[in-house]
Amino acid sequence: MSFWDFIVNASYFVAAVLFIYGLKQMGSPRTAKKGIKLAGIGMLVAVVFTFFHPAIEGGFWHYLLMLIAIGIGGGAAYKTGKTVQMTAMPQMVALYNGMGGGAAAAIALVEMYSHAAFEHGFALIIMAVVGALIGGVSFSGSLIAWAKLEGKLDKSFRVPGQQIINGALAVLIVILGWSIVGSDDGAPVLVTLFFLASLIFGVLLTIPIGGADMPVVISMYNAFTGLAVAFEGYVIDNPAMIIAGMVVGAAGSLLTWLMAVGMNRSITNVLFAGFGVDDGAEAS
Amino acid sequence: MITGFVALYIFMLAAFTGYEIIGRVPTILHTPLMSGSNFVHGIVLVGAMVALGNADGFWETLIGFVGTILAAGNAVGGYVVTERMLEMFKSSKD
């Protein structure tokens, strides 16, 4: 292990500890504010030391692009997050969560287009493909959730025979995914089609759900993004992503269930029954 | 490289950790916790940075660049929104 390998991995370890401890602190009203600060410090440490990651082989331009991308994304999010109305918070969480899902899918795409994901065996390709699917669904689904809560999308939107279309699309996704796993280098066309199909799936899954059920759905996509991040962390050998993603995946799943129970509903009911369509229309 | 059963153990332990963290939390904290965990998976930013740093050619670089923008939005936005939520929570509580 080289010097910088050690430093970077140590920073990821510190970040993982601070994330878990910070989330734990957020579970109690008295320590909640301290909790998010600790998690924030963990994030800052991990991001700063990633600039020294020995696995990064690109030159000066790549570092410049990184800084520009962080400036654009971080700046825009800081501005919107600070200025958004308190009542519009849920859709902002949905938006930021969708961005995380999109980022996880982007990592999967880069790893598959560059064939890097195909050099370390079977398990790794499956993780990359599943992560791309979950990340893509979370990305497009969260954007629909955001659009609905913003009132940019008709509240009740239901295609006839939706369940059948969803089922057919799911079958197509499985076939495409299996073809990618089975191929030696994942034909770029297959990967692109797979990603597009997962985006459409996220849209179709979210469109029939009414506004009143959206918090549960956003929480579910939050867990999805966590899982996608954990899987892609495995693909690019990043322990911080594996641990933080998996913790969020599990915590988010439990939260989703608790929220649904709080509304006297089950998750399947929220997702497939479409009762929320009427509730949503009233709530608006 | 983290492989095989070591990876499986890490996945398993992290999953139980996440489950235990949420287990006995009061209902009023559910929304801030959702937002807080939304911030935590913003760690995807470090992966996006590495992917962008290793990208070759136009398309890979473009996807890596967009991924890094999205990830940075997740991390920064998640933090700001969570902090504001807890701010409000505290003042209405006291």
Side-chain angles (χ1 to χ4, degrees), chain A residues 33 36 43 50 55 57-58 62 81-82 84 86 89 96-97 99-100 114 219 222 225 234 237 246 250-251, chain B residues 1-2 7 11 15 22 34 37-39 41 46 52-55 60 65 67 70 74 76 79 81 84 87:
Chain A
K33 275 175 82 178
I36 185 65
M43 185 74 72
T50 297
E57 284 158 358
H62 286 84
K82 279 280 185 208
V84 68
M86 269 314 186
M89 281 295 182
Y96 300 141
N97 173 55
M99 293 170 87
S114 68
S219 177
N222 182 40
T225 303
Y234 178 79
D237 195 22
M246 206 63 208
Chain B
M1 196 85 201
I2 303 160
F11 276 122
I22 301 295
M34 174 171 85
S37 56
N38 173 45
F39 162 69
H41 67 52
V46 301
L52 172 60
N54 283 327
E60 276 175 39
F65 186 69
L70 293 176
N74 183 181
V76 175
Y79 184 85
V81 166
R84 280 186 64 192
E87 203 85 38

mmCIF file of all heavy atoms in Angstrom, chain A residues 33 36 43 50 55 57-58 62 81-82 84 86 89 96-97 99-100 114 219 222 225 234 237 246 250-251, chain B residues 1-2 7 11 15 22 34 37-39 41 46 52-55 60 65 67 70 74 76 79 81 84 87:
data_model
loop_
_atom_site.group_PDB
_atom_site.id
_atom_site.type_symbol
_atom_site.label_atom_id
_atom_site.label_comp_id
_atom_site.label_asym_id
_atom_site.label_seq_id
_atom_site.Cartn_x
_atom_site.Cartn_y
_atom_site.Cartn_z
ATOM 1 N N LYS A 33 -28.711 18.248 15.621
ATOM 2 C CA LYS A 33 -27.958 19.263 14.877
ATOM 3 C C LYS A 33 -26.469 18.951 14.859
ATOM 4 O O LYS A 33 -25.788 19.183 13.861
ATOM 5 C CB LYS A 33 -28.204 20.644 15.485
ATOM 6 C CG LYS A 33 -29.466 21.300 14.931
ATOM 7 C CD LYS A 33 -29.770 22.585 15.624
ATOM 8 C CE LYS A 33 -28.973 23.736 15.067
ATOM 9 N NZ LYS A 33 -29.346 25.000 15.754
ATOM 10 N N ILE A 36 -25.727 16.091 12.080
ATOM 11 C CA ILE A 36 -25.561 16.438 10.666
ATOM 12 C C ILE A 36 -24.219 17.141 10.452
ATOM 13 O O ILE A 36 -23.574 16.964 9.411
ATOM 14 C CB ILE A 36 -26.754 17.288 10.137
ATOM 15 C CG1 ILE A 36 -26.629 17.539 8.643
ATOM 16 C CG2 ILE A 36 -26.902 18.596 10.874
ATOM 17 C CD1 ILE A 36 -26.725 16.331 7.774
ATOM 18 N N MET A 43 -17.956 13.992 5.205
ATOM 19 C CA MET A 43 -18.055 14.163 3.756
ATOM 20 C C MET A 43 -16.912 15.036 3.249
ATOM 21 O O MET A 43 -16.263 14.713 2.239
ATOM 22 C CB MET A 43 -19.403 14.801 3.409
ATOM 23 C CG MET A 43 -19.676 14.926 1.940
ATOM 24 S SD MET A 43 -20.083 13.346 1.191
ATOM 25 C CE MET A 43 -21.720 13.048 1.827
ATOM 26 N N THR A 50 -9.941 12.692 -1.692
ATOM 27 C CA THR A 50 -10.131 11.972 -2.951
ATOM 28 C C THR A 50 -9.341 12.628 -4.082
ATOM 29 O O THR A 50 -8.965 11.964 -5.050
ATOM 30 C CB THR A 50 -11.631 11.885 -3.289
ATOM 31 O OG1 THR A 50 -12.289 11.136 -2.266
ATOM 32 C CG2 THR A 50 -11.875 11.187 -4.612
ATOM 33 N N ALA A 55 -5.654 6.143 -7.567
ATOM 34 C CA ALA A 55 -6.308 5.472 -8.701
ATOM 35 C C ALA A 55 -6.640 6.450 -9.826
ATOM 36 O O ALA A 55 -6.944 6.029 -10.940
ATOM 37 C CB ALA A 55 -7.573 4.771 -8.239
ATOM 38 N N GLU A 57 -5.868 8.525 -12.718
ATOM 39 C CA GLU A 57 -4.719 8.542 -13.631
ATOM 40 C C GLU A 57 -4.748 9.697 -14.625
ATOM 41 O O GLU A 57 -3.776 9.923 -15.341
ATOM 42 C CB GLU A 57 -4.651 7.200 -14.387
ATOM 43 C CG GLU A 57 -4.106 6.076 -13.515
ATOM 44 C CD GLU A 57 -4.509 4.701 -14.030
ATOM 45 O OE1 GLU A 57 -5.238 4.629 -15.039
ATOM 46 O OE2 GLU A 57 -4.118 3.704 -13.421
ATOM 47 N N GLY A 58 -5.876 10.395 -14.678
ATOM 48 C CA GLY A 58 -5.990 11.513 -15.600
ATOM 49 C C GLY A 58 -5.064 12.652 -15.186
ATOM 50 O O GLY A 58 -4.593 12.713 -14.051
ATOM 51 N N HIS A 62 -8.316 16.673 -16.047
ATOM 52 C CA HIS A 62 -9.313 15.917 -15.304
ATOM 53 C C HIS A 62 -9.580 16.560 -13.944
ATOM 54 O O HIS A 62 -10.717 16.626 -13.496
ATOM 55 C CB HIS A 62 -8.856 14.463 -15.134
ATOM 56 C CG HIS A 62 -8.954 13.665 -16.398
ATOM 57 N ND1 HIS A 62 -7.964 13.668 -17.351
ATOM 58 C CD2 HIS A 62 -9.929 12.859 -16.865
ATOM 59 C CE1 HIS A 62 -8.327 12.896 -18.353
ATOM 60 N NE2 HIS A 62 -9.505 12.394 -18.086
ATOM 61 N N GLY A 81 -30.955 25.102 -2.143
ATOM 62 C CA GLY A 81 -31.228 24.580 -0.806
ATOM 63 C C GLY A 81 -31.423 25.676 0.216
ATOM 64 O O GLY A 81 -32.248 25.567 1.125
ATOM 65 N N LYS A 82 -30.664 26.769 0.085
ATOM 66 C CA LYS A 82 -30.758 27.875 1.042
ATOM 67 C C LYS A 82 -32.020 28.691 0.840
ATOM 68 O O LYS A 82 -32.577 29.243 1.791
ATOM 69 C CB LYS A 82 -29.530 28.790 0.901
ATOM 70 C CG LYS A 82 -28.302 28.275 1.623
ATOM 71 C CD LYS A 82 -28.348 28.580 3.105
ATOM 72 C CE LYS A 82 -27.047 28.164 3.793
ATOM 73 N NZ LYS A 82 -27.235 27.827 5.208
ATOM 74 N N VAL A 84 -34.974 27.795 -0.880
ATOM 75 C CA VAL A 84 -36.262 27.138 -1.092
ATOM 76 C C VAL A 84 -37.181 27.354 0.117
ATOM 77 O O VAL A 84 -36.722 27.468 1.250
ATOM 78 C CB VAL A 84 -36.052 25.632 -1.361
ATOM 79 C CG1 VAL A 84 -35.553 24.923 -0.124
ATOM 80 C CG2 VAL A 84 -37.321 25.003 -1.877
ATOM 81 N N MET A 86 -39.775 26.555 3.062
ATOM 82 C CA MET A 86 -39.833 25.408 3.974
ATOM 83 C C MET A 86 -40.851 24.366 3.499
ATOM 84 O O MET A 86 -40.638 23.171 3.636
ATOM 85 C CB MET A 86 -40.218 25.866 5.377
ATOM 86 C CG MET A 86 -39.026 26.195 6.252
ATOM 87 S SD MET A 86 -37.741 24.940 6.164
ATOM 88 C CE MET A 86 -36.612 25.474 7.376
ATOM 89 N N MET A 89 -39.674 21.687 0.941
ATOM 90 C CA MET A 89 -38.547 20.825 1.316
ATOM 91 C C MET A 89 -38.639 19.397 0.753
ATOM 92 O O MET A 89 -37.645 18.885 0.225
ATOM 93 C CB MET A 89 -38.410 20.749 2.837
ATOM 94 C CG MET A 89 -37.741 21.943 3.448
ATOM 95 S SD MET A 89 -36.034 22.083 2.930
ATOM 96 C CE MET A 89 -35.523 23.504 3.857
ATOM 97 N N TYR A 96 -32.512 16.197 -4.870
ATOM 98 C CA TYR A 96 -31.116 15.895 -4.529
ATOM 99 C C TYR A 96 -30.885 14.394 -4.519
ATOM 100 O O TYR A 96 -29.820 13.912 -4.907
ATOM 101 C CB TYR A 96 -30.751 16.504 -3.176
ATOM 102 C CG TYR A 96 -30.886 17.999 -3.141
ATOM 103 C CD1 TYR A 96 -31.383 18.659 -2.021
ATOM 104 C CD2 TYR A 96 -30.525 18.774 -4.234
ATOM 105 C CE1 TYR A 96 -31.516 20.035 -1.979
ATOM 106 C CE2 TYR A 96 -30.650 20.146 -4.207
ATOM 107 C CZ TYR A 96 -31.144 20.782 -3.080
ATOM 108 O OH TYR A 96 -31.284 22.142 -3.056
ATOM 109 N N ASN A 97 -31.903 13.651 -4.045
ATOM 110 C CA ASN A 97 -31.781 12.199 -4.017
ATOM 111 C C ASN A 97 -31.682 11.640 -5.442
ATOM 112 O O ASN A 97 -30.860 10.766 -5.719
ATOM 113 C CB ASN A 97 -32.982 11.605 -3.293
ATOM 114 C CG ASN A 97 -32.998 10.112 -3.367
ATOM 115 O OD1 ASN A 97 -32.031 9.465 -2.986
ATOM 116 N ND2 ASN A 97 -34.073 9.554 -3.885
ATOM 117 N N MET A 99 -30.474 13.153 -7.964
ATOM 118 C CA MET A 99 -29.144 13.466 -8.474
ATOM 119 C C MET A 99 -28.135 12.410 -8.021
ATOM 120 O O MET A 99 -27.275 11.982 -8.805
ATOM 121 C CB MET A 99 -28.714 14.861 -8.002
ATOM 122 C CG MET A 99 -29.550 15.979 -8.610
ATOM 123 S SD MET A 99 -29.227 17.584 -7.850
ATOM 124 C CE MET A 99 -27.833 18.138 -8.851
ATOM 125 N N GLY A 100 -28.268 11.972 -6.747
ATOM 126 C CA GLY A 100 -27.375 10.917 -6.253
ATOM 127 C C GLY A 100 -27.552 9.628 -7.035
ATOM 128 O O GLY A 100 -26.569 8.959 -7.389
ATOM 129 N N SER A 114 -16.158 1.719 -20.454
ATOM 130 C CA SER A 114 -14.693 1.603 -20.536
ATOM 131 C C SER A 114 -14.233 0.159 -20.354
ATOM 132 O O SER A 114 -13.040 -0.112 -20.310
ATOM 133 C CB SER A 114 -14.045 2.479 -19.452
ATOM 134 O OG SER A 114 -14.330 1.948 -18.185
ATOM 135 N N SER A 219 -38.846 8.430 0.178
ATOM 136 C CA SER A 219 -38.038 7.649 1.118
ATOM 137 C C SER A 219 -37.570 6.341 0.481
ATOM 138 O O SER A 219 -36.431 5.905 0.671
ATOM 139 C CB SER A 219 -38.843 7.359 2.379
ATOM 140 O OG SER A 219 -38.109 6.555 3.257
ATOM 141 N N ASN A 222 -34.852 7.062 -1.822
ATOM 142 C CA ASN A 222 -33.669 7.363 -1.017
ATOM 143 C C ASN A 222 -32.919 6.076 -0.684
ATOM 144 O O ASN A 222 -31.698 5.980 -0.838
ATOM 145 C CB ASN A 222 -34.113 8.086 0.263
ATOM 146 C CG ASN A 222 -32.968 8.484 1.148
ATOM 147 O OD1 ASN A 222 -31.926 8.916 0.664
ATOM 148 N ND2 ASN A 222 -33.140 8.323 2.444
ATOM 149 N N THR A 225 -31.251 4.771 -3.897
ATOM 150 C CA THR A 225 -29.986 5.431 -4.214
ATOM 151 C C THR A 225 -28.872 4.901 -3.319
ATOM 152 O O THR A 225 -27.760 4.647 -3.784
ATOM 153 C CB THR A 225 -30.107 6.954 -4.056
ATOM 154 O OG1 THR A 225 -31.170 7.404 -4.888
ATOM 155 C CG2 THR A 225 -28.830 7.650 -4.457
ATOM 156 N N TYR A 234 -18.779 -1.086 -4.603
ATOM 157 C CA TYR A 234 -18.126 -2.395 -4.781
ATOM 158 C C TYR A 234 -17.427 -2.457 -6.137
ATOM 159 O O TYR A 234 -16.302 -2.935 -6.242
ATOM 160 C CB TYR A 234 -19.180 -3.495 -4.668
ATOM 161 C CG TYR A 234 -18.649 -4.890 -4.871
ATOM 162 C CD1 TYR A 234 -17.976 -5.549 -3.852
ATOM 163 C CD2 TYR A 234 -18.824 -5.544 -6.089
ATOM 164 C CE1 TYR A 234 -17.481 -6.827 -4.038
ATOM 165 C CE2 TYR A 234 -18.331 -6.827 -6.281
ATOM 166 C CZ TYR A 234 -17.658 -7.464 -5.253
ATOM 167 O OH TYR A 234 -17.175 -8.721 -5.444
ATOM 168 N N ASP A 237 -14.343 -0.378 -6.069
ATOM 169 C CA ASP A 237 -13.484 -0.687 -4.929
ATOM 170 C C ASP A 237 -13.349 0.494 -3.975
ATOM 171 O O ASP A 237 -12.251 0.927 -3.648
ATOM 172 C CB ASP A 237 -12.095 -1.122 -5.437
ATOM 173 C CG ASP A 237 -11.285 -1.794 -4.343
ATOM 174 O OD1 ASP A 237 -11.905 -2.291 -3.379
ATOM 175 O OD2 ASP A 237 -10.052 -1.802 -4.443
ATOM 176 N N MET A 246 -24.774 1.283 1.972
ATOM 177 C CA MET A 246 -25.531 0.174 2.560
ATOM 178 C C MET A 246 -26.260 0.616 3.823
ATOM 179 O O MET A 246 -27.405 0.203 4.066
ATOM 180 C CB MET A 246 -24.560 -0.972 2.871
ATOM 181 C CG MET A 246 -25.209 -2.331 2.895
ATOM 182 S SD MET A 246 -25.887 -2.769 1.292
ATOM 183 C CE MET A 246 -27.197 -3.846 1.823
ATOM 184 N N ALA A 250 -30.308 0.317 4.120
ATOM 185 C CA ALA A 250 -31.067 -0.369 5.174
ATOM 186 C C ALA A 250 -31.915 0.611 5.972
ATOM 187 O O ALA A 250 -33.112 0.391 6.198
ATOM 188 C CB ALA A 250 -30.104 -1.109 6.096
ATOM 189 N N ALA A 251 -31.301 1.720 6.401
ATOM 190 C CA ALA A 251 -32.039 2.717 7.185
ATOM 191 C C ALA A 251 -33.202 3.266 6.372
ATOM 192 O O ALA A 251 -34.318 3.430 6.888
ATOM 193 C CB ALA A 251 -31.100 3.849 7.604
ATOM 194 N N MET B 1 -8.410 -4.759 -3.427
ATOM 195 C CA MET B 1 -9.752 -5.056 -3.949
ATOM 196 C C MET B 1 -10.568 -5.812 -2.901
ATOM 197 O O MET B 1 -10.121 -6.828 -2.378
ATOM 198 C CB MET B 1 -9.584 -5.915 -5.213
ATOM 199 C CG MET B 1 -10.819 -5.986 -6.087
ATOM 200 S SD MET B 1 -10.905 -4.604 -7.191
ATOM 201 C CE MET B 1 -12.644 -4.594 -7.580
ATOM 202 N N ILE B 2 -11.748 -5.299 -2.587
ATOM 203 C CA ILE B 2 -12.640 -5.983 -1.651
ATOM 204 C C ILE B 2 -13.465 -6.994 -2.442
ATOM 205 O O ILE B 2 -14.242 -6.611 -3.312
ATOM 206 C CB ILE B 2 -13.580 -4.984 -0.969
ATOM 207 C CG1 ILE B 2 -12.773 -3.907 -0.253
ATOM 208 C CG2 ILE B 2 -14.507 -5.697 0.003
ATOM 209 C CD1 ILE B 2 -13.559 -2.664 0.027
ATOM 210 N N ALA B 7 -16.555 -8.730 1.134
ATOM 211 C CA ALA B 7 -17.556 -7.773 0.660
ATOM 212 C C ALA B 7 -18.914 -8.099 1.256
ATOM 213 O O ALA B 7 -19.648 -7.209 1.712
ATOM 214 C CB ALA B 7 -17.625 -7.796 -0.866
ATOM 215 N N PHE B 11 -21.253 -5.697 3.566
ATOM 216 C CA PHE B 11 -22.642 -5.382 3.216
ATOM 217 C C PHE B 11 -23.572 -5.724 4.384
ATOM 218 O O PHE B 11 -24.435 -4.936 4.774
ATOM 219 C CB PHE B 11 -23.071 -6.187 1.980
ATOM 220 C CG PHE B 11 -22.678 -5.560 0.675
ATOM 221 C CD1 PHE B 11 -21.893 -6.242 -0.235
ATOM 222 C CD2 PHE B 11 -23.101 -4.277 0.349
ATOM 223 C CE1 PHE B 11 -21.527 -5.668 -1.437
ATOM 224 C CE2 PHE B 11 -22.745 -3.692 -0.858
ATOM 225 C CZ PHE B 11 -21.945 -4.392 -1.746
ATOM 226 N N ALA B 15 -25.664 -3.095 6.709
ATOM 227 C CA ALA B 15 -27.120 -3.148 6.653
ATOM 228 C C ALA B 15 -27.713 -3.195 8.064
ATOM 229 O O ALA B 15 -28.654 -2.461 8.383
ATOM 230 C CB ALA B 15 -27.578 -4.368 5.851
ATOM 231 N N ILE B 22 -32.035 3.449 12.822
ATOM 232 C CA ILE B 22 -33.388 3.981 12.660
ATOM 233 C C ILE B 22 -34.356 3.373 13.664
ATOM 234 O O ILE B 22 -35.343 3.983 14.039
ATOM 235 C CB ILE B 22 -33.891 3.716 11.222
ATOM 236 C CG1 ILE B 22 -32.972 4.356 10.213
ATOM 237 C CG2 ILE B 22 -35.293 4.255 11.020
ATOM 238 C CD1 ILE B 22 -32.925 5.853 10.265
ATOM 239 N N MET B 34 -34.624 11.091 6.974
ATOM 240 C CA MET B 34 -34.646 10.756 5.551
ATOM 241 C C MET B 34 -33.722 11.724 4.808
ATOM 242 O O MET B 34 -32.903 11.308 3.975
ATOM 243 C CB MET B 34 -36.065 10.844 4.993
ATOM 244 C CG MET B 34 -36.127 10.651 3.495
ATOM 245 S SD MET B 34 -37.796 10.507 2.892
ATOM 246 C CE MET B 34 -38.248 12.226 2.704
ATOM 247 N N SER B 37 -30.033 10.955 5.718
ATOM 248 C CA SER B 37 -29.481 9.791 5.029
ATOM 249 C C SER B 37 -29.339 10.087 3.538
ATOM 250 O O SER B 37 -28.450 9.565 2.871
ATOM 251 C CB SER B 37 -30.345 8.544 5.270
ATOM 252 O OG SER B 37 -31.670 8.768 4.893
ATOM 253 N N ASN B 38 -30.224 10.963 3.024
ATOM 254 C CA ASN B 38 -30.081 11.428 1.642
ATOM 255 C C ASN B 38 -28.736 12.143 1.461
ATOM 256 O O ASN B 38 -28.047 11.939 0.460
ATOM 257 C CB ASN B 38 -31.247 12.370 1.301
ATOM 258 C CG ASN B 38 -31.099 13.025 -0.049
ATOM 259 O OD1 ASN B 38 -30.752 12.373 -1.018
ATOM 260 N ND2 ASN B 38 -31.346 14.314 -0.110
ATOM 261 N N PHE B 39 -28.350 12.926 2.496
ATOM 262 C CA PHE B 39 -27.040 13.584 2.434
ATOM 263 C C PHE B 39 -25.913 12.552 2.461
ATOM 264 O O PHE B 39 -24.962 12.649 1.679
ATOM 265 C CB PHE B 39 -26.880 14.564 3.598
ATOM 266 C CG PHE B 39 -25.450 14.943 3.861
ATOM 267 C CD1 PHE B 39 -24.759 15.721 2.955
ATOM 268 C CD2 PHE B 39 -24.798 14.507 5.005
ATOM 269 C CE1 PHE B 39 -23.436 16.054 3.178
ATOM 270 C CE2 PHE B 39 -23.485 14.830 5.234
ATOM 271 C CZ PHE B 39 -22.803 15.610 4.324
ATOM 272 N N HIS B 41 -25.678 9.486 1.413
ATOM 273 C CA HIS B 41 -25.319 8.782 0.177
ATOM 274 C C HIS B 41 -24.772 9.736 -0.881
ATOM 275 O O HIS B 41 -24.408 9.296 -1.975
ATOM 276 C CB HIS B 41 -26.435 7.860 -0.336
ATOM 277 C CG HIS B 41 -27.691 8.514 -0.812
ATOM 278 N ND1 HIS B 41 -27.712 9.517 -1.736
ATOM 279 C CD2 HIS B 41 -28.995 8.277 -0.489
ATOM 280 C CE1 HIS B 41 -28.964 9.873 -1.955
ATOM 281 N NE2 HIS B 41 -29.760 9.150 -1.221
ATOM 282 N N VAL B 46 -17.364 10.961 -4.203
ATOM 283 C CA VAL B 46 -15.968 10.519 -4.313
ATOM 284 C C VAL B 46 -15.816 9.500 -5.447
ATOM 285 O O VAL B 46 -14.806 9.508 -6.158
ATOM 286 C CB VAL B 46 -15.420 9.946 -2.974
ATOM 287 C CG1 VAL B 46 -15.498 10.972 -1.869
ATOM 288 C CG2 VAL B 46 -16.104 8.668 -2.578
ATOM 289 N N LEU B 52 -14.554 10.195 -13.134
ATOM 290 C CA LEU B 52 -14.214 11.296 -14.048
ATOM 291 C C LEU B 52 -12.702 11.384 -14.233
ATOM 292 O O LEU B 52 -12.204 11.589 -15.347
ATOM 293 C CB LEU B 52 -14.765 12.618 -13.499
ATOM 294 C CG LEU B 52 -14.346 13.891 -14.221
ATOM 295 C CD1 LEU B 52 -14.792 13.869 -15.678
ATOM 296 C CD2 LEU B 52 -14.932 15.130 -13.530
ATOM 297 N N GLY B 53 -11.958 11.197 -13.151
ATOM 298 C CA GLY B 53 -10.500 11.292 -13.211
ATOM 299 C C GLY B 53 -9.866 10.235 -14.100
ATOM 300 O O GLY B 53 -8.781 10.440 -14.635
ATOM 301 N N ASN B 54 -10.546 9.101 -14.271
ATOM 302 C CA ASN B 54 -10.003 8.025 -15.094
ATOM 303 C C ASN B 54 -10.638 7.947 -16.469
ATOM 304 O O ASN B 54 -10.315 7.050 -17.246
ATOM 305 C CB ASN B 54 -10.195 6.682 -14.380
ATOM 306 C CG ASN B 54 -9.182 6.499 -13.288
ATOM 307 O OD1 ASN B 54 -8.050 6.962 -13.415
ATOM 308 N ND2 ASN B 54 -9.584 5.867 -12.215
ATOM 309 N N ALA B 55 -11.597 8.840 -16.761
ATOM 310 C CA ALA B 55 -12.350 8.732 -18.010
ATOM 311 C C ALA B 55 -11.450 8.989 -19.217
ATOM 312 O O ALA B 55 -10.608 9.886 -19.212
ATOM 313 C CB ALA B 55 -13.513 9.719 -17.988
ATOM 314 N N GLU B 60 -17.091 9.138 -22.206
ATOM 315 C CA GLU B 60 -16.817 8.769 -20.824
ATOM 316 C C GLU B 60 -16.599 10.006 -19.967
ATOM 317 O O GLU B 60 -17.120 10.114 -18.857
ATOM 318 C CB GLU B 60 -15.560 7.892 -20.748
ATOM 319 C CG GLU B 60 -15.824 6.426 -21.001
ATOM 320 C CD GLU B 60 -14.529 5.635 -21.034
ATOM 321 O OE1 GLU B 60 -13.630 5.933 -20.227
ATOM 322 O OE2 GLU B 60 -14.407 4.747 -21.887
ATOM 323 N N PHE B 65 -18.372 13.752 -15.993
ATOM 324 C CA PHE B 65 -18.556 15.159 -15.625
ATOM 325 C C PHE B 65 -19.977 15.392 -15.113
ATOM 326 O O PHE B 65 -20.184 15.985 -14.042
ATOM 327 C CB PHE B 65 -18.277 16.028 -16.863
ATOM 328 C CG PHE B 65 -18.287 17.511 -16.594
ATOM 329 C CD1 PHE B 65 -17.298 18.100 -15.829
ATOM 330 C CD2 PHE B 65 -19.294 18.316 -17.126
ATOM 331 C CE1 PHE B 65 -17.308 19.457 -15.582
ATOM 332 C CE2 PHE B 65 -19.302 19.672 -16.890
ATOM 333 C CZ PHE B 65 -18.308 20.252 -16.121
ATOM 334 N N GLY B 67 -22.026 13.127 -13.988
ATOM 335 C CA GLY B 67 -22.162 12.382 -12.741
ATOM 336 C C GLY B 67 -21.612 13.150 -11.554
ATOM 337 O O GLY B 67 -22.222 13.159 -10.477
ATOM 338 N N LEU B 70 -24.007 15.973 -10.633
ATOM 339 C CA LEU B 70 -25.169 15.424 -9.922
ATOM 340 C C LEU B 70 -24.792 15.047 -8.487
ATOM 341 O O LEU B 70 -25.519 15.372 -7.537
ATOM 342 C CB LEU B 70 -25.701 14.195 -10.661
ATOM 343 C CG LEU B 70 -26.331 14.431 -12.039
ATOM 344 C CD1 LEU B 70 -26.714 13.109 -12.683
ATOM 345 C CD2 LEU B 70 -27.559 15.322 -11.930
ATOM 346 N N ASN B 74 -26.166 16.368 -4.852
ATOM 347 C CA ASN B 74 -26.692 15.494 -3.806
ATOM 348 C C ASN B 74 -26.061 15.828 -2.458
ATOM 349 O O ASN B 74 -26.749 16.029 -1.458
ATOM 350 C CB ASN B 74 -26.427 14.037 -4.200
ATOM 351 C CG ASN B 74 -27.010 13.043 -3.219
ATOM 352 O OD1 ASN B 74 -26.868 11.851 -3.392
ATOM 353 N ND2 ASN B 74 -27.674 13.491 -2.167
ATOM 354 N N VAL B 76 -24.141 18.553 -1.388
ATOM 355 C CA VAL B 76 -24.310 19.914 -0.872
ATOM 356 C C VAL B 76 -25.786 20.198 -0.572
ATOM 357 O O VAL B 76 -26.136 20.684 0.513
ATOM 358 C CB VAL B 76 -23.760 20.951 -1.874
ATOM 359 C CG1 VAL B 76 -24.046 22.359 -1.398
ATOM 360 C CG2 VAL B 76 -22.268 20.751 -2.067
ATOM 361 N N TYR B 79 -27.050 18.373 2.518
ATOM 362 C CA TYR B 79 -26.585 18.952 3.779
ATOM 363 C C TYR B 79 -27.371 20.218 4.128
ATOM 364 O O TYR B 79 -27.880 20.357 5.239
ATOM 365 C CB TYR B 79 -25.096 19.282 3.687
ATOM 366 C CG TYR B 79 -24.546 19.802 4.997
ATOM 367 C CD1 TYR B 79 -24.119 18.921 5.976
ATOM 368 C CD2 TYR B 79 -24.499 21.166 5.260
ATOM 369 C CE1 TYR B 79 -23.653 19.380 7.184
ATOM 370 C CE2 TYR B 79 -24.033 21.635 6.470
ATOM 371 C CZ TYR B 79 -23.604 20.739 7.425
ATOM 372 O OH TYR B 79 -23.149 21.203 8.631
ATOM 373 N N VAL B 81 -30.292 21.343 3.128
ATOM 374 C CA VAL B 81 -31.707 21.125 3.423
ATOM 375 C C VAL B 81 -31.889 20.477 4.805
ATOM 376 O O VAL B 81 -32.755 20.880 5.584
ATOM 377 C CB VAL B 81 -32.349 20.257 2.315
ATOM 378 C CG1 VAL B 81 -33.696 19.731 2.750
ATOM 379 C CG2 VAL B 81 -32.505 21.071 1.039
ATOM 380 N N ARG B 84 -31.308 23.030 7.559
ATOM 381 C CA ARG B 84 -32.440 23.958 7.691
ATOM 382 C C ARG B 84 -33.624 23.282 8.373
ATOM 383 O O ARG B 84 -34.308 23.882 9.196
ATOM 384 C CB ARG B 84 -32.856 24.462 6.303
ATOM 385 C CG ARG B 84 -31.953 25.584 5.804
ATOM 386 C CD ARG B 84 -32.463 26.160 4.504
ATOM 387 N NE ARG B 84 -33.763 26.812 4.644
ATOM 388 C CZ ARG B 84 -34.504 27.182 3.614
ATOM 389 N NH1 ARG B 84 -34.087 26.955 2.399
ATOM 390 N NH2 ARG B 84 -35.656 27.778 3.812
ATOM 391 N N GLU B 87 -32.908 23.066 12.035
ATOM 392 C CA GLU B 87 -32.985 24.418 12.586
ATOM 393 C C GLU B 87 -34.422 24.724 12.994
ATOM 394 O O GLU B 87 -34.703 25.143 14.118
ATOM 395 C CB GLU B 87 -32.527 25.411 11.516
ATOM 396 C CG GLU B 87 -32.024 26.726 12.058
ATOM 397 C CD GLU B 87 -30.547 26.627 12.432
ATOM 398 O OE1 GLU B 87 -29.790 25.944 11.695
ATOM 399 O OE2 GLU B 87 -30.169 27.198 13.428
#
